[in-house]
């Protein structure tokens, strides 16, 4: 692609110095229909923002019921069956319809083309299709789970799910299957865009780390989602057509289901964290006014996580009766996969070290991410050690572990990114103080909700029960109280962000004085992203121009 | 990949109508389309990979049961189908070549033959399914002829593998059908557009999958 002339300015009828606002992607042709048929990556990002927010609140409603039920030791609010259905709904919706799509499809969609100076993703219509598939799958699954309910948990373990559960397992699995196509479509689009649409001057090692994170995530999506699709297909054919791959009566092995499921789902937990790491890198460098520490190490860490993450799935199966040698190998590999994560944590902190840190709301969220992700990752190491896991498996300790990463980490990162790029996306500024309060509230609410669960797990509270001995109550009450604060912290942004759409001050094109090509165009950007060629000069993270950089900018 | 042409800017050659507005030139657009399909095929390989992994696990666990069960498949039809599919792979590849050279008549012919072979394949497959059912070779059938439980596993895998493969054939035939229609209507440029190459790649993949399924399901039972 070396000799391609740089992109032509392609704004139909644009007058010089023209009306930026009218030409923005938000302004032109405002009708519901134009939004529902749009192929503009920015608009599709917004469609995804609306749909994932909706799913977030559906999953959140289920979580509220769980925490209410657990307030008292007796199972009084929900029946045991009802409780099973509620936590399944919560898990399925949060994993597949919120966490997996949220950053890649909302922020990734909006930002990847802007960050590499392209006009759109490589396959705009496929992009729109992916949104419809996501909606279709989500509606299907949510409808199945609300009308009849599913009681298998989000993991659909056999033989319970195939031979015993009389609930809408098949319909829900089909819903998840459909949304898998949406994930694959997004992954293909991102990879092809990054490979073929970078402008001259932006080599691989000059890409923003957010783009790298989305790239690594897409790799995982593409290589793992099909395996989930197959395992769900086998599950559904076993239930509906009587083809029994996992049925022990015919010599089938239910544990094979677990292997195939976790071959997808462990990499999938990285689908749910790598994009967050990308966001946080952008935010931390900006508000520390520092060049990112160890750019190349950050890239290799992302890729290492993407690759090694495929070889640790057996750590979910230490108690399944798999061979001791398998368990030891998986345990060892799980320790290895934590190393690149630790490198990233180290580099974020080193980036902040001696930076000129300011505490804007997105920075508070990002710093919260670093702390909570570290906690979640370290407790992952506890669980990766076989003897410790025999004690902690299937207890609230595991629940706390993954919520620290997925909620404390990923959701904080999403809020960090949403606040950071909100002025770019909407052209409006939100009230900073309110946002800072929400960020702090979220951090405290989160810890109050989930830290007690580590203790609960360690003293023996199993997961997925709606009643428990009185001795555990105090921790459950703390956790439920934290959940109230957390809920308030999640609702606040809904208030002030929507408020800012109407009454917020208009945002300049670069309100944070951030580097990165997306800040070189208007807020909100025009339909074809750039009115003039974005300038690609220096490295991506050219902050603190007043000081002398410690290293030559050219080689990193 | 919309057909709408971007307004040509002064001083540049007229843009091909096949060139979508967010690409610089056809070379970039074709590179994107090719890479996109190759990546999609990688996901397909992992999709079937899950199934083949299941087959492998059980074939290792129950070698005898699998050999006995595999001896019941219709080897003649399976083998004829292999030949049909490989031939259609050849005609599809030739269609791609002919499209690159802009030979519309040959393209039309070759795609039509590809579709024909695919349809015969499906017909033969359907007949085979009918025979299988006639022999009660469905795992839930009360008169399932084989006693050992692993035979039911084998036949579960048989139906799943061939069924999923047949769905892929159907998708391929649908794609070829649309392209044939468009080729006859001359609604796209053979050389500027990559859709025939994309369909050819996909068809090649579906062929290749069969080349794994054939030995696993048909040949294996005859090895002794
Ligand atoms: C630092 C690397 C990590 C290690 C070593 C690790 C280790 C583990 C282990 C051993 C378990 C199984 C515990 C048990 O069931 O007894 C587990 C469960 C889990 N982890 Fe992690 N983990 C890591 C990172 C992550 C990340 C990044 C996420 C999500 C973004 C995550 C999400 C989960 C989830 C969802 C489960 C529970 C699944 C279930 O049974 O429902 N983990 N982790
Ligand atoms: Cu895992």
């Amino acid at each position: 692609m070396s000799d391609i002339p740089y992109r032509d300015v392609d704004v139909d009828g644009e007058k010089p110095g023209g009306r930026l606002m009218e030409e923005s992607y938000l302004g032109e042709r405002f009708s519901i229909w134009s939004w529902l048929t749009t192929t503009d990556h920015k608009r599709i990002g917004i469609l995804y923002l609306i749909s994932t927010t909706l799913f977030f609140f559906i999953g959140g409603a289920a979580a509220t019921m769980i925490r209410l039920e657990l307030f008292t030791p007796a199972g009084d609010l929900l029946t045991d069956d009802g409780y099973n259905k509620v936590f399944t709904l919560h898990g399925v919706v949060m994993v597949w319809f919120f966490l997996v799509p949220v950053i890649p499809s909302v922020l990734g969609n909006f930002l990847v083309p802007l960050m590499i100076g392209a006009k759109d993703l490589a396959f705009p219509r496929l992009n729109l299709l992916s949104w419809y598939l996501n909606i279709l799958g989500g509606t299907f699954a949510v409808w199945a789970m609300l009308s009849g309910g599913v009681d298998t948990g989000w993991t659909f373990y056999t033989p319970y799910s195939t031979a015993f559960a009389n609930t809408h397992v098949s319909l829900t699995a089909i819903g998840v299957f459909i949304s898998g196509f949406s994930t694959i479509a997004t992954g293909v689009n991102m990879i092809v865009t990054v490979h073929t649409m970078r402008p001259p001057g932006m080599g691989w090692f000059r890409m923003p780390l957010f783009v790298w994170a989305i790239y690594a995530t897409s790799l995982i999506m593409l290589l793992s989602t099909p395996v989930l699709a197959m395992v769900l297909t086998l599950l559904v054919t076993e239930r509906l057509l009587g083809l029994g791959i996992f049925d022990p009566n015919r010599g089938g092995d239910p544990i094979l289901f677990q292997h195939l499921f976790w071959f997808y789902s462990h990499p999938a937990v990285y689908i749910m964290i790598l994009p967050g790491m990308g966001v946080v890198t952008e935010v931390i460098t900006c508000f520390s006014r520092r060049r990112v520490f160890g750019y190349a190490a950050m890239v290799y860490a992302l890729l290492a996580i993407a690759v090694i993450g495929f070889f640790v799935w057996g750590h979910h199966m230490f108690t399944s009766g798999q061979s001791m040698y398998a368990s030891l190998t998986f345990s060892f590999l799980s320790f290895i996969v934590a190393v690149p994560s630790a490198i990233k944590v180290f580099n974020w902190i080193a980036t902040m070290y001696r930076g000129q840190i300011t505490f804007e709301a997105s920075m508070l969220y990002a710093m919260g991410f670093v702390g909570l992700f570290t906690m979640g990752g370290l407790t992952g190491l506890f669980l990766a050690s076989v003897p410790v896991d025999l004690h902690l498996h299937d207890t609230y300790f595991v629940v706390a572990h993954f919520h620290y990463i997925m909620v404390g980490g990923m959701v904080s990162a999403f809020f960090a990114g949403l606040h950071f790029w909100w002025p770019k996306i909407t052209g409006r500024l939100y009230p900073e103080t309110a946002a800072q309060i929400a960020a702090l509230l979220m951090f405290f609410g989160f810890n109050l909700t989930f830290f007690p669960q580590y203790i609960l797990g360690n003293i023996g509270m199993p997961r997925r029960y709606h009643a428990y001995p009185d001795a555990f109550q105090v921790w459950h009450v703390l956790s439920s109280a934290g959940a109230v604060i957390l809920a308030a912290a999640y609702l606040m942004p809904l208030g002030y962000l929507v408020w800012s759409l109407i009454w917020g001050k208009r945002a300049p094109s670069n309100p944070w004085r951030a580097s990165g090509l997306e800040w070189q165009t208007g807020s909100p950007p025009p339909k074809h992203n750039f009115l003039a060629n974005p300038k690609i000069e220096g490295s991506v993270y050219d902050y603190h121009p007043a000081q002398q950089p410690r290293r030559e900018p050219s080689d990193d | 990949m919309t057909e709408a042409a971007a307004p040509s800017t002064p001083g540049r050659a007229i843009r091909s109508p096949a060139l979508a507005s967010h690409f610089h030139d056809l070379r970039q657009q074709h590179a994107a389309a090719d890479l996109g399909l190759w990546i999609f095929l990688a996901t397909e390989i992992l999709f079937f990979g899950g199934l083949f992994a299941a087959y492998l696990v059980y074939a290792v666990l129950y070698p005898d049961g699998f050999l006995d069960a595999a001896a019941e498949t219709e080897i003649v039809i399976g083998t004829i189908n292999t030949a049909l599919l490989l031939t259609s792979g050849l005609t599809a590849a030739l269609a791609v070549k002919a499209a690159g050279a802009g030979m519309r008549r040959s393209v039309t012919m070759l795609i039509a033959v590809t579709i024909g072979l695919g349809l015969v394949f499906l017909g033969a497959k359907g007949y085979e399914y009918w025979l299988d059912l006639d022999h009660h070779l469905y795992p839930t059938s009360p008169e399932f002829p084989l006693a050992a439980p692993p035979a039911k596993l084998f036949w579960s895998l048989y139906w799943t593998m061939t069924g999923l493969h047949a769905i892929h054939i159907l998708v391929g035939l649908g794609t070829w059908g649309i392209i044939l229609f468009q080729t006859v209507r001359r609604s796209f440029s053979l050389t500027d557009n990559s859709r025939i190459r994309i369909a050819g790649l996909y068809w090649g993949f579906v062929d290749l999958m069969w080349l794994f399924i054939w030995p696993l399901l048909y040949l294996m039972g005859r090895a002794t």
Side-chain angles (χ1 to χ4, degrees), chain A residues 463-538:
Chain A
R463 61 193 286 206
R464 297 181 173 174
Y465 280 76
H466 75 146
Y468 54 84
D470 292 344
F472 296 152
Q473 187 175 14
V474 69
W475 304 110
H476 273 303
V477 168
L478 283 178
S479 181
S480 292
V484 175
I485 301 179
L486 198 54
Y490 286 143
L491 286 170
M492 275 183 70
L494 196 67
Y496 61 75
L497 288 180
V498 171
W499 178 91
S500 80
L501 287 180
I502 304 159
W503 295 287
K505 272 197 292 195
R506 290 200 186 278
S509 47
N510 190 356
W512 317 120
R513 293 180 297 123
S515 70
L517 297 187
E518 78 271 26
W519 303 105
Q520 290 188 16
T521 185
S523 300
K527 182 155 188 277
H528 287 300
N529 292 352
F530 295 98
L531 294 179
N533 307 344
K535 285 195 284 293
I536 303 169
E537 51 191 28

Side-chain angles (χ1 to χ4, degrees), chain A residues 208-223:
Chain A
L209 284 164
F210 177 74
V211 178
W212 265 113
I214 294 291
Y215 182 83
T217 309
S218 304
L219 278 181
I220 307 177
M221 286 174 167
L222 293 169
L223 298 182

Side-chain angles (χ1 to χ4, degrees), chain A residues 210-518:
Chain A
F210 177 74
V211 178
W212 265 113
I214 294 291
Y215 182 83
T217 309
S218 304
L219 278 181
I220 307 177
M221 286 174 167
L222 293 169
L223 298 182
S224 66
T225 314
V227 179
L228 174 73
M230 178 50 77
V231 74
L232 292 177
T233 306
L234 295 178
L235 181 78
V236 171
T237 51
E238 180 153 345
R239 278 183 73 91
L240 299 184
L241 307 178
L243 300 174
I245 309 281
F246 305 119
D247 180 1
N249 290 328
R250 305 177 224 176
D253 186 354
I255 300 292
L256 180 64
F257 176 90
Q258 294 186 25
H259 278 290
L260 292 176
F261 182 82
W262 289 114
F263 182 85
Y264 160 77
S265 273
H266 185 83
V269 306
Y270 290 110
I271 296 177
M272 296 179 249
I273 195 68
L274 293 189
M277 294 175 163
V279 167
V280 163
T281 311
E282 301 295 322
V283 174
I284 286 183
T285 50
C286 174
F287 294 115
S288 309
R289 305 276 139 212
R290 293 261 292 144
R291 182 187 310 283
V292 68
F293 183 88
Y295 176 98
M298 290 298 232
V299 172
Y300 290 126
L302 285 170
L303 295 176
I305 293 174
V307 174
I308 305 171
F310 274 95
F311 301 100
V312 302
W313 77 88
H315 66 212
H316 296 270
M317 300 169 58
F318 290 153
T319 58
S320 73
Q322 73 184 357
S323 100
M324 182 181 81
Y325 301 104
S327 285
L328 286 180
T329 313
F330 281 123
S331 171
F332 176 73
L333 287 167
S334 305
F335 281 102
I336 301 289
V337 78
V339 173
S341 303
I343 291 176
K344 297 195 75 82
V345 172
F346 180 83
N347 284 0
W348 289 316
I349 294 172
T351 306
M352 286 190 270
Y353 177 65
R354 295 177 66 185
Q356 299 156 25
I357 300 179
T358 48
F359 297 97
E360 279 81 355
S362 30
M363 182 64 165
L364 292 177
Y365 280 117
M367 291 168 84
F369 169 99
V370 176
L372 299 178
F373 171 74
T374 306
M375 280 282 290
L378 285 177
T379 51
L381 290 178
F382 294 19
L383 295 170
S385 137
V386 182
V388 181
D389 187 64
L390 294 183
H391 173 55
L392 294 173
H393 176 68
D394 257 348
T395 68
Y396 259 80
F397 193 92
V398 176
V399 176
H401 154 67
F402 64 78
H403 280 85
Y404 259 79
I405 299 177
M406 295 157 104
V407 182
M410 187 67 164
V411 180
S412 297
F414 175 62
F415 276 100
L418 192 64
H419 285 81
F420 189 59
W421 285 291
W422 185 259
K424 181 56 60 188
I425 295 174
T426 64
R428 300 295 179 136
L429 297 173
Y430 50 83
E432 188 62 49
T433 318
Q436 284 166 320
I437 293 171
L440 292 175
L441 212 57
M442 196 173 127
F443 186 79
F444 287 118
F446 179 86
N447 280 302
L448 188 55
T449 311
F450 290 102
F451 196 83
Q453 298 187 1
Y454 281 128
I455 297 166
L456 270 174
N458 193 36
I459 60 181
M461 171 80 200
R463 61 193 286 206
R464 297 181 173 174
Y465 280 76
H466 75 146
Y468 54 84
D470 292 344
F472 296 152
Q473 187 175 14
V474 69
W475 304 110
H476 273 303
V477 168
L478 283 178
S479 181
S480 292
V484 175
I485 301 179
L486 198 54
Y490 286 143
L491 286 170
M492 275 183 70
L494 196 67
Y496 61 75
L497 288 180
V498 171
W499 178 91
S500 80
L501 287 180
I502 304 159
W503 295 287
K505 272 197 292 195
R506 290 200 186 278
S509 47
N510 190 356
W512 317 120
R513 293 180 297 123
S515 70
L517 297 187
E518 78 271 26

